[in-house]
Amino acid sequence: MLFCSMSFIFVFLPIVILLYLITKQKLHNSILLISSIIFYAWGEPKYLAIMLITIIVNYFGAILIEKHSSKKFFLITTILINLGFLVYFKYFDFLISNFNNVFHSDFHLLNIIMPIGISFYTFQAISYIIDVYKGECRAQKDIYKLALFICLFPQLIAGPIVKYHDIEEQIDSRKVDFDKVNIGVKRFITGLSKKMLIANTMGVIVDKIFIQDPHNFSHAIAWIGSISYTLQLYFDFSGYSDMAIGLGLIFGFKFMENFNYPYISKSITEFWRRWHISLSTWFKQYVYIPLGGNKKGKFKTLRNLGIVFLLTGIWHGAEWTFIVWGIWHGVFIILEKIFNIKEFEKKSHSLFINILRHFYCIFVFLIGWVIFRAENLSYAFNYLMNMFGILKLNTGAFSYTLDYYIDKTEIITFIAAILCAIPLFKNLIYTENKLIKGTVNIWLLFLFYLSTITIAASTYNPFIYFRF
């Protein structure tokens, strides 16, 4: 079930909220757990068993880690079981395909369909097990509460990735009040609008361009495609995160922010402090620091950064494009570490230098997003060659004029997307000014109306991060 579907907005969510509000607090966890299971099973009930097994494995794994003297053995075993499911469903066909290419074998692909959200709930389960091992939290003796943590529907299928120690107390006791519900509804509408009105519109432009051979459209079209995808991905994923955070607040949970205007960054290091924050902090806490972080000399620090960004690419998908994208970002993170970008940031107050740094960052992530979006590395290479005027174009095959790729409505949305990607309207939904508050509320109602009629009228409603 999608957040941006009529069945969720007008059937599932109102019923769950009503039940939640009219029942006693001791039943709230049960209502959310049952609702979460229904939510997940709605789309693919056959994969519900995988998630339930994950819950059981981590429940007993954590208890054994806490009680048994061989805690490291049970930690490693539980993590391997978690990763085993992830590797099988997400990477097994990829591994077979590459094995066949390298050794010229002909093993048949299994055509495995990946369960939605497995990357997210697997990482949540691993964070719980490690937290118990490190003594940062106690093993949860109530399996239903652990199940709620792993399969809570607001963040189940696309994050933010929630760490157990961050919401342990909220699972046991949380307060639902008008202020939380009010802000939660506003965040949900904001995210829904980002997704339906901006991301989907940008997606139409992107799909028209990326479906074609890069030899068959102009350099200008190539740049429009890359910028449109940059905007689509941000508004698609940050929109979903906003909806998840908003839903969490409605039910009394406070999830961490997942995006903080990443496209205003002036370095790739800063970009990753602002982009997919829950994933970045997960890798920092559970991979980078355990490897030694920056405490074991410069070489090992650079090595650890390289490992983290290689894993970041792999986490995003079983394609070489994702792996190269992760390496691409890792290279610039390492270079910025070598040249001590943090010290430069402290000393640099020149407007001109900061503008140059901003354009450098845009250049890096624009190229990265082309690699990320491309169906294969060959396509990505040709597309980038087109963008920079190196590719020899087949001008005789230019089938469409500019207005085919982007019409007047899409141009307006394109401009609006750029404006909304910078913090011009930051924190407006939190204002206490009565005039601004009233204006914002009316505007949000209008956006909600536009979003819902768009959902009703449109058959085009992809969600990019379901792939991951």
Side-chain angles (χ1 to χ4, degrees):
M1 190 184 301
L2 292 169
F3 289 169
C4 42
S5 65
M6 300 298 276
S7 56
F8 178 83
I9 295 171
F10 293 108
V11 181
F12 179 85
L13 186 58
I15 291 173
V16 176
I17 292 175
L18 180 62
L19 289 172
Y20 197 82
L21 294 177
I22 65 174
T23 54
K24 294 180 180 179
Q25 188 172 354
K26 65 181 181 180
L27 295 175
H28 285 176
N29 282 351
S30 298
I31 290 168
L32 285 182
L33 178 58
I34 294 168
S35 302
S36 297
I37 290 171
I38 293 171
F39 175 84
Y40 192 77
W42 188 282
E44 43 183 35
K46 64 181 179 180
Y47 291 122
L48 180 61
I50 306 302
M51 189 171 66
L52 296 178
I53 292 170
T54 298
I55 292 165
I56 293 168
V57 165
N58 287 278
Y59 173 75
F60 287 107
I63 292 173
L64 289 170
I65 288 168
E66 191 172 69
K67 299 294 185 184
H68 205 282
S69 57
S70 302
K71 57 194 299 184
K72 197 165 191 177
F73 168 78
F74 290 110
L75 170 72
I76 294 170
T77 301
T78 309
I79 289 175
L80 287 177
I81 293 172
N82 282 309
L83 292 177
F85 282 123
L86 185 61
V87 169
Y88 175 76
F89 283 103
K90 191 168 184 177
Y91 303 103
F92 199 71
D93 275 341
F94 175 71
L95 294 172
I96 292 174
S97 177
N98 281 278
F99 186 89
N100 286 342
N101 290 336
V102 172
F103 296 101
H104 305 290
S105 54
D106 59 352
F107 290 105
H108 293 294
L109 299 183
L110 301 181
N111 297 315
I112 300 166
I113 298 174
M114 185 181 73
I116 289 175
I118 191 170
S119 298
F120 291 91
Y121 71 68
T122 298
F123 268 33
Q124 292 196 176
I126 291 173
S127 76
Y128 165 66
I129 288 296
I130 295 175
D131 285 351
V132 172
Y133 174 79
K134 291 164 64 178
E136 293 188 8
C137 66
R138 300 295 303 276
Q140 177 57 260
K141 302 303 191 296
D142 187 334
I143 193 170
Y144 298 108
K145 289 182 179 179
L146 181 64
L148 181 62
F149 161 68
I150 291 176
C151 71
L152 184 61
F153 79 83
Q155 43 72 230
L156 171 61
I157 53 179
I161 299 171
V162 177
K163 295 182 282 293
Y164 183 75
H165 64 257
D166 288 337
I167 66 165
E168 180 182 12
E169 293 181 5
Q170 297 178 53
I171 290 174
D172 288 328
S173 177
R174 59 190 177 276
K175 183 181 178 183
V176 178
D177 56 41
F178 176 79
D179 288 337
K180 281 184 179 178
V181 173
N182 180 43
I183 295 298
V185 170
K186 290 178 179 180
R187 284 296 294 266
F188 182 84
I189 294 173
T190 300
L192 183 67
S193 305
K194 282 182 175 181
K195 164 64 182 159
M196 295 307 305
L197 305 180
I198 298 180
N200 282 9
T201 304
M202 293 297 99
V204 172
I205 301 170
V206 171
D207 289 351
K208 287 178 185 176
I209 296 171
F210 274 83
I211 200 172
Q212 298 189 55
D213 188 312
H215 293 85
N216 296 341
F217 49 80
S218 68
H219 309 313
I221 297 301
W223 279 98
I224 289 172
S226 63
I227 296 171
S228 296
Y229 183 65
T230 297
L231 295 169
Q232 179 196 7
L233 187 63
Y234 169 64
F235 285 100
D236 191 270
F237 194 21
S238 72
Y240 202 96
S241 291
D242 281 337
M243 286 188 274
I245 291 167
L247 289 171
L249 285 170
I250 290 170
F251 297 109
F253 287 95
K254 183 172 175 57
F255 302 144
M256 73 181 301
E257 294 295 333
N258 213 17
F259 290 88
N260 183 21
Y261 297 99
Y263 292 160
I264 67 170
S265 303
K266 294 188 283 292
S267 68
I268 298 304
T269 303
E270 182 186 357
F271 175 83
W272 279 100
R273 290 198 296 263
R274 294 174 175 274
W275 177 274
H276 205 341
I277 300 167
S278 64
L279 180 66
S280 302
T281 55
W282 194 97
F283 273 117
K284 180 180 180 180
Q285 186 167 347
Y286 299 108
V287 179
Y288 180 69
I289 292 174
L291 286 172
N294 58 1
K295 305 296 184 184
K296 295 188 176 181
K298 196 156 192 174
F299 173 77
K300 288 188 176 179
T301 298
L302 301 180
R303 178 205 67 184
N304 296 341
L305 288 169
I307 291 171
V308 164
F309 278 91
L310 174 62
L311 292 175
T312 299
I314 292 171
W315 179 88
H316 276 83
E319 297 288 347
W320 282 106
T321 49
F322 297 126
I323 295 171
V324 171
W325 168 80
I327 294 170
W328 171 258
H329 276 264
V331 166
F332 285 94
I333 291 284
I334 288 169
L335 288 173
E336 290 177 5
K337 193 74 173 178
I338 291 171
F339 291 106
N340 206 354
I341 192 74
K342 279 188 178 180
E343 286 300 314
F344 185 78
E345 286 174 349
K346 291 176 184 177
K347 296 175 182 177
S348 174
H349 301 293
S350 165
L351 178 62
F352 177 70
I353 294 297
N354 284 332
I355 290 172
L356 284 180
R357 289 175 56 217
H358 183 57
F359 275 101
Y360 143 74
C361 187
I362 292 173
F363 173 81
V364 173
F365 65 64
L366 267 179
I367 291 175
W369 290 141
V370 170
I371 299 169
F372 194 87
R373 174 62 174 78
E375 60 185 29
N376 54 55
L377 291 175
S378 175
Y379 187 96
F381 179 75
N382 286 331
Y383 194 105
L384 292 169
M385 294 273 282
N386 183 333
M387 282 175 63
F388 293 102
I390 303 170
L391 189 70
K392 185 176 180 181
L393 302 180
N394 182 11
T395 54
F398 284 16
S399 305
Y400 305 104
T401 56
L402 181 62
D403 59 356
Y404 166 76
Y405 297 102
I406 180 166
D407 60 27
K408 291 178 181 178
T409 302
E410 289 163 348
I411 290 171
I412 294 169
T413 307
F414 190 92
I415 295 168
I418 293 172
L419 293 175
C420 291
I422 57 180
L424 287 175
F425 312 106
K426 187 177 182 180
N427 296 328
L428 273 181
I429 65 171
Y430 303 101
T431 184
E432 293 300 323
N433 182 290
K434 290 184 178 180
L435 178 61
I436 297 175
K437 194 173 186 177
T439 305
V440 169
N441 289 342
I442 292 169
W443 178 244
L444 286 172
L445 285 173
F446 178 64
L447 289 178
F448 181 71
Y449 168 74
L450 286 181
S451 299
T452 52
I453 62 171
T454 303
I455 293 169
S458 177
T459 56
Y460 181 82
N461 193 15
F463 179 61
I464 297 172
Y465 261 74
F466 277 177
R467 296 172 59 194
F468 313 130

